[in-house]
Amino acid sequence: MSDNRESLKLRKIRFVYKGAEQEGTLIHENSGLLTIKLKSGYNIVAEKGAVEIKEESLEEAPQARSSKDTFIGSGPGKVTIVATGGTISSRVDYSTGAVTPSNDISFLKSTVTDLERRFTVELESRDNILSENMTPEKWVNIVRWVKEGLKKSHGVIVSHGTDTMSYTASAVSFMLEKQSGPVIFVGSQRSPDRPSSDAFTNIEAAIHFASAEIGDVGISMHSGNSDNKISLLRATRSRKMHSSRRDAFHSIGEEPMAFYSDGSVVINRLSKRPDDETVINDRLDSSVGLMYFHPSLSPEDLMNYSENKKAVILMGTGLGHAADRLIGPIREMTREGKQIVMTTQCISGTTNLNVYSTGRKLLDAGVLEMGNVVPEIAYVKAMYVLANYDFNDFGKIMKTNLRGELLTREEL
Amino acid sequence: MASGEKGKAPKESKVMIGLEIHFQLKGKKLFCDCSTESYGVQKTSFERILSPTASEMGFYDPAAEYEKTRDRKFRYVSTDNSCLVEADEEPPHSPNEDAIATGMMVAGSLNCRPLDSVMFMRKVVVDGSNTSGFQRTAVVGFDGKMETSRGPVRISSVCVEEDSARKIEQDRKVEEDVLYSLDRLGIPLLEIVTEPDILDAEHAVEVAKSIGFIVASTGRSRRQVDSIRQDVNISLGFGRVEIKGIQKLSLIGKSISHEIERQRNMRDAMEILKKRGGMKRPIMFSEAGKYFEKTESKMLKNAFRNRLSIYASVGSNLDGLLKNDQFRVGKDLSDIAKAFGLGGILHTDELPAFGITGKEVEMAREELSPGDEDAIIFVIADKSKAGKLSDAFTSRIKKLSSLDFSETRGPLEDGSTKFLRPLPGKDRMYPETDVPIVQIGSDARQRISEFVPRSEEEIAKDLSEEFSISLQDARTIASNFLLDDFRDLTETTKDGKLSARIMLQTIPEMEKKHKASFETGELNRLLKISTEMGWSRNTLENAMEVMLTRKLDAKQSAKEVQEASLSEGDLMVLVKEIADASGKEIKPGTLIAMLKQKTKKSFDPKEAIEILEKLK
Ligand SMILES: [Zn+2]
């Protein structure tokens, strides 16, 4: 982010509106409407024609207390934060009411206990992408930055918007053939301009997770509605399950890998140890589709959608079913060499195409059943497998557990 | 402002009083579909941390910094009338337009200039009372004026805002443990702010009442225990003091007089301190536990058991100022200690006391080698808090001695006040981007302009006619803002006269007599039973007395009274017996006396006399 605060001037005005003369700050003018900040702090919006400006002067805006330091602390726990989007911190300018995203990480000093003694945190501002604008090409960039980060730090934190964080995190997980330390994705459901933002505790926990002996890619977000417990979820089992709650991220079918509370990390289930080095396969083939089966889905829709795609992940009903009318077209497509992969739109639980006759017909038509792999993760994995393995091995690799995405057993 | 010597010392000036009055509105909450009313059901609880630094811009906000020094976490409990919005787990919905219209009606009646578009702002509040860390608020009208018997009072603004969460407990021992209920959070609140044009306590009450009638006339105001809250801003030359959250109209006057007296006494105390040479040593608490090892004081023994100790400091030149007939600097410091979660302070103006002996105090005192006019201040705390308190007390005394009394204080029942926190800096506000700007359309504007507020007398007259109650009673109900309570009560009793009596006589008299108060929910249930059973007023009042004195619930009280009172049939039999024996011309007084000899159970004398009349 460029910092142009030095040149910021406030437009102080004395104006008459509704017959009363008062002072204020003209914030902006937009399609005939003026937004004026009154001395009381309130903004009012008024039609330009209704406001008579009597006097105007420019005044220096108060200087923000902002630090451009990209390093904090001098402790042994070396952590690199790769900022890709989603705001780490925000600045609120009360003189104009403007909220600007900022990469000022100095707030960590006051929010992370003993930060300066225990950790050395380095910030690398790489990109600023809204979650919904993420693409597989950007995932490749991210895994390269992660690799660089792991060269100099024990662990890497990737800040990311939450909406597509599970896709990116699992893509990074697949592309990391070997990883010398933890890679922790972190986001927030409440923006950091708010005192109640979950960003602070999520990042605090991420710093601790990124210093632990974990050789996996995880997501550091709230366990519940409280700020007192943060979960580390395996990227390849994670899913955003709520549009707004702090505890939106769930680990599907397995418990979180670790928790953070009261200043320490508790490992909940054994995860992979870090490797000696970091190796990436930074190739993805994005000719993969993801489609939700629905009761009126026509063979034409399915065929049209699948054109130009090497693999299509279907989110079937229940144990992995689709209507009889689709079986013929599916058989046709698999004969032409397309991969039709079946997952369940129930999200939780596994596919099983042997239980009902429809399932058996789908298997016969060449459908590849994905078990309990989360649909979106199967979609990301297909891109990785297509780009890095022999096409003939697609089915075999898809059914092999690579990064914890496939559970062979689910506990009650 | 640290030293009063250099600059000119502030002098007492004309008293300036301004009011900020808040009225809750009923119906739906301001930013979600929850009702403003709760059945009192508590659901799940959660814990949050608010980060005041999060949105800092280099501006120092004393109130926010103060909250930070206390390092608190906040707990919340959700209720049947709260949803994800109140829990700060979902963005706010579109604002409640009914509430905005009501705000505009009130603004119009106060001759404010109404805004054409309403834009909500976030006002940063980090004391935990808002889960979001800010209060959403919008100005709907500004620059108004109202006429009073003593000249015009200017109205700065009328705002529509969301109410804060209700504090339901604060554990003294664990200062971070504040529990808030979400039942009140998000209730629409009208805030009416006056300029400091109010002349004295009496005038303040008049202004508050007049504004109250305007709001009551909208028919949208909520009338529950804490539905009206008034903040008083008062200044007599020593900085602005804000007394926050006065709930009763009658307390406004008392609080103002108390505050003026408190400030004058504090000024006098500080002038004595100055004459003695001011504070020569900062407050510095050091451990003094060893002088109290053999103490008989229960308070201290208890503290030692809880791994606390007693700390002592010289209070430089404060001897006699901490507590005597006029001065209460000790109470002031005690309030600060309490704000840090401690029990208060002890000092040499009041010791020996509380089981602490003069000898113990003397030993601790000698160690500190104080001067003649020094006091010794003790505090029971742990080491870290004693350290924090040293700084807090030192800067407190510096501030007071510069005659800067500005701060936020809270009202107490007797009209006095206690320190709450430093005055917040200028409100830190920024736009609430999750809420669209509300344009006031021409239909709404029309409706708003048609609203005509009613005067107290008009309201009383209407009430008197509608419920056939005396104009006197109606006036009392109107002037005490009991209108909606009265309507609700009559909904239950189906009898306006009875409601007026219960509300204006029975309840206050019984509560006064037994020094106890009714639990509203249970009393309502009892009234319902009474209406259903067709009880006489006498029976009902008996049941109410049983409920209040024996702390029974509605069902139990009803059962007791029914068992203890004659049924109508039994009463008739008894009256008949007496009439048969003594003749039908028996005097009512004699009848009652004879009935009382015949039965120990209670009965309604009026009913007995009516039966006798019927027999004739
Ligand atoms: Zn709600």
Side-chain angles (χ1 to χ4, degrees):
Chain A
M1 289 298 299
S2 70
D3 197 329
N4 60 355
R5 296 195 53 77
E6 279 71 31
S7 60
L8 193 71
K9 294 268 198 296
L10 298 179
R11 290 175 72 183
K12 293 283 180 187
I13 54 170
R14 169 170 287 284
F15 66 102
V16 179
Y17 178 54
K18 303 249 174 193
E21 186 169 320
Q22 50 186 326
E23 287 171 28
T25 307
L26 184 58
I27 305 295
H28 58 72
E29 223 180 295
N30 207 341
S31 49
L33 291 175
L34 299 183
T35 303
I36 302 169
K37 192 169 203 51
L38 304 179
K39 278 180 97 179
S40 60
Y42 284 94
N43 286 16
I44 58 166
V45 178
E47 270 176 44
K48 197 177 173 191
V51 178
E52 185 196 343
I53 297 180
K54 293 237 163 176
E55 251 181 71
E56 180 171 346
S57 61
L58 290 180
E59 207 172 87
E60 204 68 41
Q63 282 299 305
R65 181 183 65 195
S66 148
S67 151
K68 287 179 194 152
D69 291 351
T70 51
F71 270 96
I72 304 186
S74 50
K78 181 100 206 301
V79 173
T80 297
I81 300 180
V82 176
T84 70
T87 39
I88 295 181
S89 58
S90 284
R91 258 197 327 233
V92 182
D93 183 342
Y94 295 108
S95 57
T96 61
V99 178
T100 35
S102 119
N103 280 335
D104 179 357
I105 51 171
S106 57
F107 72 88
L108 291 170
K109 287 185 214 167
S110 58
T111 56
V112 184
T113 318
D114 266 353
L115 175 105
E116 287 170 274
R117 196 176 54 79
R118 292 179 65 174
F119 305 104
T120 305
V121 179
E122 183 187 1
L123 177 75
E124 286 185 358
S125 305
R126 294 290 196 167
D127 209 336
N128 194 10
I129 319 162
L130 287 174
S131 199
E132 58 271 28
N133 294 334
M134 272 287 170
T135 56
E137 295 77 62
K138 311 245 183 209
W139 300 342
V140 169
N141 292 339
I142 292 173
V143 80
R144 289 174 186 156
W145 298 329
V146 163
K147 185 185 173 186
E148 280 177 44
L150 283 175
K151 258 187 221 158
K152 50 187 179 181
S153 292
H154 174 78
V156 170
I157 294 171
V158 181
S159 75
H160 196 288
T162 55
D163 282 1
T164 61
M165 187 155 72
S166 283
Y167 293 85
T168 308
S170 52
V172 165
S173 181
F174 286 117
M175 288 188 278
L176 276 166
E177 199 64 32
K178 286 183 177 180
Q179 60 184 101
S180 62
V183 176
I184 312 297
F185 278 72
V186 68
S188 63
Q189 290 282 83
R190 294 281 94 72
S191 61
D193 57 282
R194 304 157 197 247
S196 65
S197 175
D198 52 331
F200 314 116
T201 38
N202 290 342
I203 294 176
E204 172 181 347
I207 290 173
H208 284 263
F209 290 137
S211 312
E213 290 302 307
I214 296 174
D216 265 312
V217 180
I219 285 180
S220 169
M221 292 287 286
H222 272 53
S223 308
N225 302 123
S226 291
D227 283 331
N228 56 12
K229 195 177 183 189
I230 311 297
S231 296
L232 182 65
L233 311 169
R234 185 188 303 283
T236 55
R237 292 300 307 172
S238 69
R239 196 169 192 276
K240 186 174 183 180
M241 300 294 279
H242 198 279
S243 59
S244 62
R245 283 170 65 133
R246 286 166 173 73
D247 57 356
F249 280 83
H250 287 209
S251 180
I252 307 298
E254 70 169 17
E255 286 190 23
M257 295 195 280
F259 297 107
Y260 171 80
S261 65
D262 282 337
S264 57
V265 171
V266 176
I267 300 290
N268 185 45
R269 43 187 301 124
L270 286 179
S271 65
K272 206 174 114 246
R273 300 274 309 161
D275 302 302
D276 298 333
E277 55 174 348
T278 300
V279 177
I280 57 171
N281 289 330
D282 53 354
R283 285 181 307 276
L284 293 173
D285 184 337
S286 56
S287 54
V288 178
L290 175 63
M291 189 173 222
Y292 208 106
F293 169 77
H294 48 277
S296 66
L297 179 65
S298 68
E300 295 73 43
D301 286 347
L302 180 61
M303 302 280 276
N304 287 340
Y305 179 73
S306 307
E307 222 183 317
N308 304 326
K309 296 200 170 58
K310 291 181 188 155
V312 172
I313 315 297
L314 265 181
M315 295 171 74
T317 56
L319 288 166
H321 300 133
D324 276 343
R325 62 180 179 273
L326 300 178
I327 291 172
I330 288 174
R331 189 185 310 278
E332 207 176 301
M333 288 193 286
T334 58
R335 276 196 189 137
E336 284 167 10
K338 272 197 211 314
Q339 300 289 350
I340 306 295
V341 180
M342 187 60 82
T343 60
T344 173
Q345 55 185 252
C346 299
I347 308 302
S348 289
T350 184
T351 58
N352 190 328
L353 297 181
N354 294 314
V355 178
Y356 296 103
S357 61
T358 308
R360 293 190 286 273
K361 284 185 215 158
L362 283 164
L363 277 179
D364 187 59
V367 159
L368 184 67
E369 90 171 287
M370 229 31 286
N372 56 20
V373 177
V374 177
E376 295 86 349
I377 311 294
Y379 154 84
V380 172
K381 183 178 180 181
M383 290 190 205
Y384 170 74
V385 174
L386 285 173
N388 294 288
Y389 291 88
D390 191 304
F391 188 73
N392 293 324
D393 290 336
F394 182 83
K396 191 181 89 193
I397 306 294
M398 282 301 281
K399 290 183 142 207
T400 307
N401 180 20
L402 299 179
R403 306 282 187 266
E405 74 280 10
L406 180 68
L407 302 176
T408 51
R409 55 188 285 274
E410 280 192 56
E411 284 171 15
L412 196 61
Chain B
M1 289 285 285
S3 88
E5 287 100 71
K6 275 182 208 148
K8 234 180 169 181
K11 284 231 162 61
E12 181 171 339
S13 59
K14 196 183 122 210
V15 180
M16 289 177 46
I17 300 168
L19 287 177
E20 269 176 45
I21 315 184
H22 303 89
F23 295 90
Q24 288 180 335
L25 302 182
K26 65 185 172 190
K28 290 281 169 69
K29 288 193 176 175
L30 192 51
F31 293 110
C32 64
D33 204 39
C34 290
S35 165
T36 54
E37 309 310 313
S38 161
Y39 293 104
V41 180
Q42 298 195 340
K43 297 178 131 179
T44 59
S45 65
F46 55 93
E47 186 185 304
R48 291 280 165 75
I49 300 165
L50 292 178
S51 303
T53 50
S55 43
E56 275 308 323
M57 261 281 303
F59 297 120
Y60 172 78
D61 180 54
E65 290 294 318
Y66 172 73
E67 293 297 342
K68 220 174 89 190
T69 60
R70 301 205 293 162
D71 188 25
R72 294 193 305 175
K73 288 175 186 150
F74 306 102
R75 284 189 300 135
Y76 300 90
V77 57
S78 67
T79 59
D80 57 292
N81 70 332
S82 71
C83 65
L84 290 182
V85 174
E86 288 92 330
D88 191 41
E89 290 285 21
E90 184 184 311
H93 304 182
S94 290
N96 174 345
E97 296 199 4
D98 197 39
I100 293 175
T102 306
M104 296 215 123
M105 288 175 190
V106 171
S109 305
L110 290 167
N111 305 302
C112 287
R113 299 162 207 267
L115 291 176
D116 302 329
S117 330
V118 172
M119 184 178 187
F120 278 91
M121 304 291 288
R122 298 171 174 171
K123 188 193 280 183
V124 175
V125 180
V126 290
D127 64 1
S129 60
N130 287 73
T131 47
S132 56
F134 47 71
Q135 179 191 32
R136 297 182 183 97
T137 171
V139 58
V140 297
F142 63 98
D143 193 29
K145 191 161 78 178
M146 64 188 286
E147 292 305 327
T148 74
S149 66
R150 296 164 73 185
V153 169
R154 289 168 298 156
I155 305 294
S156 326
S157 63
V158 174
C159 294
V160 175
E161 51 194 38
E162 53 180 358
D163 205 348
S164 55
R166 189 168 59 91
K167 199 183 271 189
I168 50 183
E169 69 181 51
Q170 178 162 19
D171 190 336
R172 275 221 175 289
K173 289 187 206 83
V174 200
E175 69 177 60
E176 57 263 43
D177 244 6
V178 186
L179 182 64
Y180 286 99
S181 163
L182 299 187
D183 56 2
R184 200 179 75 186
L185 183 62
I187 290 181
L189 208 57
L190 292 189
E191 185 202 56
I192 295 127
V193 183
T194 78
E195 295 285 321
D197 296 344
I198 293 166
L199 304 170
D200 55 30
E202 201 185 324
H203 194 205
V205 174
E206 182 195 332
V207 169
K209 268 194 178 179
S210 306
I211 295 175
F213 285 120
I214 292 173
V215 178
S217 310
T218 65
R220 305 300 306 152
S221 57
R222 187 172 177 262
R223 289 278 177 255
Q224 300 297 329
V225 184
D226 59 351
S227 60
I228 310 181
R229 290 190 301 274
Q230 288 132 129
D231 302 346
V232 176
N233 281 300
I234 173 166
S235 158
L236 52 154
F238 310 120
R240 180 169 70 91
V241 167
E242 179 182 68
I243 305 172
K244 213 167 175 57
I246 303 177
Q247 281 181 25
K248 282 188 212 148
L249 216 45
S250 59
L251 263 185
I252 291 188
K254 268 195 206 164
S255 300
I256 290 173
S257 331
H258 257 278
E259 181 56 21
I260 292 172
E261 196 190 329
R262 187 190 70 85
Q263 289 196 26
R264 286 180 178 149
N265 286 336
M266 186 60 84
R267 175 204 52 200
D268 292 350
M270 289 304 119
E271 271 165 8
I272 294 174
L273 176 63
K274 195 175 166 189
K275 269 186 208 131
R276 289 175 179 177
M279 182 173 57
K280 291 208 172 118
R281 295 160 66 171
I283 302 285
M284 183 85 76
F285 283 108
S286 54
E287 236 249 78
K290 55 180 180 282
Y291 305 113
F292 298 89
E293 269 165 4
K294 293 188 183 99
T295 190
E296 289 301 316
S297 160
K298 273 189 193 144
M299 182 175 64
L300 274 182
K301 281 201 232 171
N302 216 351
F304 296 151
R305 221 173 293 129
N306 289 323
R307 297 174 170 223
L308 299 174
S309 188
I310 183 164
Y311 290 79
S313 168
V314 166
S316 171
N317 281 330
L318 286 175
D319 187 43
L321 300 180
L322 293 172
K323 187 178 183 184
N324 72 7
D325 293 341
Q326 192 194 350
F327 303 130
R328 292 279 183 281
V329 180
K331 171 161 189 317
D332 190 277
L333 296 177
S334 199
D335 283 350
I336 305 273
K338 282 176 186 166
F340 278 81
L342 300 172
I345 63 166
L346 300 163
H347 53 76
T348 41
D349 281 0
E350 59 181 7
L351 291 173
F354 315 110
I356 294 170
T357 65
K359 205 177 150 208
E360 287 163 342
V361 173
E362 205 39 53
M363 285 193 296
R365 183 189 170 87
E366 265 171 37
E367 163 89 24
L368 296 169
S369 50
D372 286 348
E373 290 181 309
D374 290 349
I376 307 293
I377 301 170
F378 296 95
V379 63
I380 296 170
D382 60 30
K383 195 175 175 195
S384 122
K385 266 193 196 149
K388 279 186 188 176
L389 217 53
S390 300
D391 297 341
F393 279 12
T394 305
S395 52
R396 179 72 179 172
I397 294 165
K398 271 189 193 158
K399 181 169 181 292
L400 292 176
S401 54
S402 71
L403 298 186
D404 170 11
F405 299 163
S406 64
E407 64 198 19
T408 305
R409 301 183 67 83
L412 299 172
E413 274 300 315
D414 61 355
S416 66
T417 57
K418 64 167 185 182
F419 169 83
L420 279 186
R421 54 182 170 268
L423 271 188
K426 211 164 145 13
D427 283 333
R428 295 171 308 150
M429 287 200 244
Y430 65 109
E432 170 51 278
T433 42
D434 297 344
V435 175
I437 293 173
V438 180
Q439 306 288 347
I440 308 301
S442 53
D443 285 0
R445 226 172 295 171
Q446 181 66 23
R447 196 157 61 90
I448 290 161
S449 66
E450 280 164 6
F451 166 72
V452 182
R454 304 178 69 71
S455 71
E456 179 171 355
E457 192 56 23
E458 284 171 321
I459 290 173
K461 256 191 196 144
D462 287 356
L463 197 66
S464 161
E465 278 166 29
E466 187 182 347
F467 292 99
S468 349
I469 57 174
S470 72
L471 194 55
Q472 182 62 33
D473 281 354
R475 281 192 189 120
T476 313
I477 289 167
S479 73
N480 288 293
F481 294 112
L482 294 170
L483 223 67
D484 288 16
D485 280 350
F486 176 76
R487 283 182 192 280
D488 289 350
L489 188 60
T490 309
E491 185 80 12
T492 310
T493 63
K494 317 281 180 213
D495 180 346
K497 276 198 183 117
L498 178 65
S499 299
R501 180 179 160 107
I502 290 173
M503 174 175 257
L504 304 177
Q505 286 181 37
T506 316
I507 295 177
E509 278 167 14
M510 275 190 195
E511 290 189 338
K512 198 174 167 200
K513 182 173 156 199
H514 299 296
K515 295 193 176 66
S517 46
F518 283 104
E519 207 270 292
T520 322
E522 281 307 315
L523 181 58
N524 263 328
R525 270 184 277 272
L526 185 65
L527 290 166
K528 239 180 216 148
I529 295 174
S530 168
T531 311
E532 278 163 16
M533 307 291 289
W535 285 354
S536 65
R537 197 187 76 205
N538 189 59
T539 311
L540 170 61
E541 289 180 345
N542 283 340
M544 285 173 67
E545 193 144 24
V546 165
M547 169 177 262
L548 189 64
T549 51
R550 297 179 44 200
K551 307 254 173 279
L552 298 180
D553 68 17
K555 267 194 184 157
Q556 290 167 324
S557 313
K559 203 173 155 220
E560 289 278 324
V561 171
Q562 272 165 325
E563 277 169 9
S565 65
L566 281 179
S567 70
E568 210 174 322
D570 290 347
L571 182 62
M572 202 177 301
V573 171
L574 286 180
V575 173
K576 226 171 156 229
E577 273 176 25
I578 294 170
D580 286 349
S582 314
K584 283 171 191 165
E585 298 311 316
I586 184 172
K587 285 200 178 102
T590 320
L591 172 72
I592 305 303
M594 291 178 78
L595 274 171
K596 281 188 175 163
Q597 280 177 359
K598 277 189 172 276
T599 179
K600 289 267 173 283
K601 292 189 171 183
S602 72
F603 57 91
D604 185 357
K606 211 171 110 203
E607 208 178 312
I609 295 162
E610 278 168 9
I611 295 172
L612 182 67
E613 289 299 317
K614 275 185 204 149
L615 287 176
K616 283 179 187 173

